[in-house]
């Protein structure tokens, strides 16, 4: 028996995503991470170049390999004088980075979270 025409081809889509957040650390009884939205983060890499405000998601969908690389750059400080919160570090998954600019590889079908941490210095 031979079938001709009318075949349906199903391909699985691969989705990779990076959620970008920011927090400031507040000293009340101990250090707390308080989410802070609207912080402008610059990015460049496989998904192009741009800037967005936290929280935001960078993602790629592909039927073969959805992985991508992105460089994130956080501002030196947030807030208004005299209440400035200064960049302290990035956290991506369980890894910490002390630089404001980091390179993040996101593997095929991987979902990561990158968080910029800010602290108040006296």
């Amino acid at each position: 028996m031979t079938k001709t025409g009318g075949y349906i081809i199903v391909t699985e889509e691969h989705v990779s995503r990076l959620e970008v957040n920011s927090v400031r650390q507040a000293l009340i009884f101990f250090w707390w991470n308080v989410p802070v939205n609207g912080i402008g983060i610059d990015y460049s890499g496989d998904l192009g170049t741009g800037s967005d405000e936290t929280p935001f998601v960078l993602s790629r969908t592909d039927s073969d390999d959805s992985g991508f690389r992105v460089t994130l750059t956080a501002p030196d400080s947030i807030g208004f004088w005299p209440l400035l919160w200064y960049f302290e570090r990035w956290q991506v998954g369980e890894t910490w980075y002390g630089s404001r600019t980091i390179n993040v590889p996101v593997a095929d079908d991987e979902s990561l979270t990158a968080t910029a941490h800010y602290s108040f210095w006296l």
Side-chain angles (χ1 to χ4, degrees):
M1 182 166 126
T2 303
K3 282 196 152 200
T4 58
Y7 288 103
I8 297 174
I9 299 173
V10 177
T11 58
E12 179 182 342
E13 292 291 325
H14 298 240
V15 179
S16 297
R17 67 188 302 275
L18 176 66
E19 181 178 332
V20 182
N21 298 304
S22 53
V23 297
R24 64 180 183 212
Q25 296 180 333
L27 179 62
I28 298 176
F29 297 107
F30 48 89
W31 285 103
W32 285 18
N33 286 327
V34 178
V36 57
N37 295 332
I39 305 304
I41 303 291
D42 296 327
Y43 62 87
S44 63
D46 295 341
L47 302 178
T49 300
S51 182
D52 209 337
E53 292 186 352
T54 58
F56 65 93
V57 173
L58 297 170
S59 66
R60 182 173 179 190
T61 302
D62 193 289
S63 59
D64 291 322
D65 182 356
S66 61
F68 62 90
R69 295 186 73 80
V70 64
T71 299
L72 300 174
T73 302
D76 280 328
S77 61
I78 59 174
F80 299 98
W81 189 88
L83 297 175
L84 283 175
W85 299 81
Y86 294 93
F87 177 82
E88 183 178 336
R89 58 191 173 174
W90 278 103
Q91 180 182 9
V92 181
E94 298 297 319
T95 306
W96 295 89
Y97 303 90
S99 175
R100 287 186 322 109
T101 299
I102 60 171
N103 294 305
V104 181
V106 181
D108 182 38
D109 270 343
E110 184 174 40
S111 182
L112 291 175
T113 300
T115 304
H117 289 255
Y118 289 84
S119 295
F120 183 71
W121 296 352
L122 295 175

